[in-house]
Amino acid sequence: KIAKRFRLDASEDEISTRSTQIWFARSRFAMAESGATKVQLHLYDLSQGMARAMSAQLLGKQIEGVWHTGIIAFGEEWYFGGGIQRGAPGFTHFGRPSQVLDLGETHLPREVFEEFLVDIAPRFTMQTYNLLRHNCNNFSDEVAHFLVGEGIPSHILSLPDEVLSTPFGQQLMPMLSMMDAQMRTASEGAPFGGIGNGAAFAAPPRRSA
């Protein structure tokens, strides 16, 4: 099912963030002159199949994957990792996606999209990253809302709460908090090439022949 387009008549309630409200107002006049661009969601299972195989036994419920996501638009893949990053679709360091979902189309020009990313970049840095509450999936959801007017599937966003609601998930919480802190500490001063640290977009990796 194709998601709704980013509509010119969207109400204030449907435009969830202040940044989206600003760029909605600035971009609606450019939409009529811009051609349609397909928008997709790439899903990567960070557990490499272990979640599907072991979750029922460990958690008492079936989990299909531990998801990292990226938005595909304007011929590139956009994701949150050490700032807002971009790469060749399916050729980032996450490898090939486990699933590809069609989200719909956008009529926004690339220039407006990149201005939007610069505007939200201070909220998507390594310092603001949280493994459970403010991660790549929250970024993908906000970008999807901006481009097509609907977010990513809710089961992806609710996965942390679903895991932590189980006894085993509660046992994992101290380890996850430690991992989250270590990730931020290790990244301090690291030369990430994303928008979120004041640098230019990261150059997309070359495709193999």
Side-chain angles (χ1 to χ4, degrees):
K1 180 181 179 180
I2 300 299
K4 292 183 294 184
R5 294 180 180 177
F6 192 80
R7 304 193 315 279
L8 296 179
D9 61 346
S11 68
E12 288 281 339
D13 291 338
E14 292 174 302
I15 307 169
S16 58
T17 68
R18 181 175 180 274
S19 296
T20 307
Q21 291 176 18
I22 293 171
W23 290 112
F24 174 77
R26 293 183 59 179
S27 62
R28 57 182 177 176
F29 301 107
M31 291 172 64
E33 299 178 359
S34 177
T37 297
K38 189 174 184 179
V39 180
Q40 295 178 311
L41 183 72
H42 276 193
L43 284 80
Y44 303 85
D45 179 14
L46 300 181
S47 76
Q48 298 184 357
M50 290 182 62
R52 175 180 292 182
M54 302 179 65
S55 58
Q57 179 182 356
L58 295 175
L59 301 176
K61 59 176 65 179
Q62 184 66 36
I63 302 294
E64 293 301 313
V66 177
W67 302 117
H68 164 81
T69 59
I71 293 288
I72 312 304
F74 306 101
E76 297 191 86
E77 183 161 352
W78 311 84
Y79 59 98
F80 178 26
I84 299 174
Q85 305 287 325
R86 72 176 182 183
F91 286 84
T92 68
H93 63 277
F94 294 99
R96 296 300 180 96
S98 304
Q99 298 181 37
V100 178
L101 304 181
D102 289 332
L103 298 182
E105 294 180 340
T106 183
H107 287 262
L108 293 171
R110 181 186 177 115
E111 292 77 13
V112 169
F113 176 56
E114 291 193 356
E115 288 177 1
F116 169 74
L117 293 180
V118 170
D119 187 60
I120 68 172
R123 295 192 287 106
F124 290 98
T125 68
M126 182 51 73
Q127 289 68 39
T128 66
Y129 182 89
N130 183 279
L131 190 62
L132 300 175
R133 303 301 179 196
H134 191 66
N135 54 42
C136 57
N137 300 321
N138 302 107
F139 170 78
S140 294
D141 186 61
E142 186 161 340
V143 172
H145 271 290
F146 181 75
L147 289 176
V148 301
E150 289 187 357
I152 67 175
S154 60
H155 74 270
I156 298 173
L157 296 172
S158 64
L159 181 60
D161 289 333
E162 191 171 355
V163 171
L164 293 176
S165 68
T166 68
F168 185 73
Q170 287 296 313
Q171 294 178 32
L172 289 176
M173 188 62 190
M175 183 184 69
L176 294 174
S177 298
M178 183 175 64
M179 289 173 56
D180 188 54
Q182 288 175 344
M183 288 172 60
R184 280 196 293 269
T185 300
S187 70
E188 290 181 0
F192 287 107
I195 304 175
N197 62 357
F201 286 109
R206 294 182 179 180
R207 295 177 181 269
S208 57

